[in-house]
Amino acid sequence: MQQINLSGMLTESRNPNSENIDSCSTLEIIQIINNEDKQVALAVEKELPNIALAVDVISQAFLKQGRLIYIGAGTSGRLGILDASECPPTYGTSPEQVIGLIAGGKTAIFKAVENAEDSPELAITDLKNINFSSNDVLVGIAASGRTPYVIGAMQYAKSIGATVISLCCNPSAPMIDLANIAI
């Protein structure tokens, strides 16, 4: 596997606000975490136009009997599965309308499956197994924005004419260039 330079990636850098967290009191630790959590709402606010575009595209896909498919590895995959599992009781969707896929399959929901995230081919197989089509919308989720499993899925989805959305935390992530809509 090729070495990737991680030095410029936001998700791989140290946060100067929490550098000394190990020497803080419990209250100080919680305050640091809380202050950093406040930054999430501001980051989401900057992405509202792209989020609105994604919602519109997904709504249109639903009107054409398309599905929303989340795909990710590790925590990113688990978050997609969590959202997919909440859509039926919260929004009244059928369980088949919103699906979450994770590198390593069902086992990986509860236990890490090593190296599954490194296989773009596995992602393509997973999409084919659910009869992914151009009517569906794929949301690739990866904090780093460079996970091979997710990138493989995005490339496949694009190759068959599906709409592709990326959700990542690095502003120059490879996933961004593969997406029709990047968040």
Side-chain angles (χ1 to χ4, degrees), residues 11-22:
T11 56
E12 307 306 316
S13 62
R14 289 184 181 225
N15 181 340
N17 297 329
S18 62
E19 279 184 0
N20 298 317
I21 200 167
D22 57 326

Side-chain angles (χ1 to χ4, degrees), residues 138-162:
L138 182 77
V139 177
I141 308 170
S144 70
R146 63 177 184 80
T147 306
Y149 175 82
V150 177
I151 287 175
M154 293 173 69
Q155 290 170 331
Y156 174 74
K158 253 194 136 162
S159 77
I160 65 167

Side-chain angles (χ1 to χ4, degrees), residues 78-180:
R78 291 180 193 100
L79 290 172
I81 289 169
L82 178 63
D83 192 67
S85 68
E86 285 297 324
C87 285
T90 304
Y91 300 108
T93 64
S94 72
E96 298 80 26
Q97 192 175 20
V98 182
I99 297 172
L101 298 174
I102 186 170
K106 289 184 180 182
T107 301
I109 296 170
F110 301 102
K111 183 179 178 189
V113 176
E114 294 302 318
N115 301 316
E117 72 272 8
D118 296 326
S119 175
E121 299 80 16
L122 179 60
I124 295 167
T125 299
D126 289 348
L127 289 175
K128 287 181 178 180
N129 285 341
I130 62 163
N131 298 313
F132 185 84
S133 77
S134 60
N135 292 331
D136 298 326
V137 175
L138 182 77
V139 177
I141 308 170
S144 70
R146 63 177 184 80
T147 306
Y149 175 82
V150 177
I151 287 175
M154 293 173 69
Q155 290 170 331
Y156 174 74
K158 253 194 136 162
S159 77
I160 65 167
T163 300
V164 177
I165 300 169
S166 67
L167 179 57
C168 64
C169 298
N170 281 315
S172 60
M175 283 175 44
I176 291 170
D177 294 332
L178 293 171
N180 300 100

Side-chain angles (χ1 to χ4, degrees), residues 27-46:
L27 178 59
E28 290 168 330
I29 291 169
I30 302 303
Q31 288 170 330
I32 290 169
I33 293 170
N34 181 248
N35 284 331
E36 293 307 301
D37 285 347
K38 291 175 186 175
Q39 302 306 309
V40 174
L42 298 173
V44 169
E45 182 177 37
K46 292 176 185 173

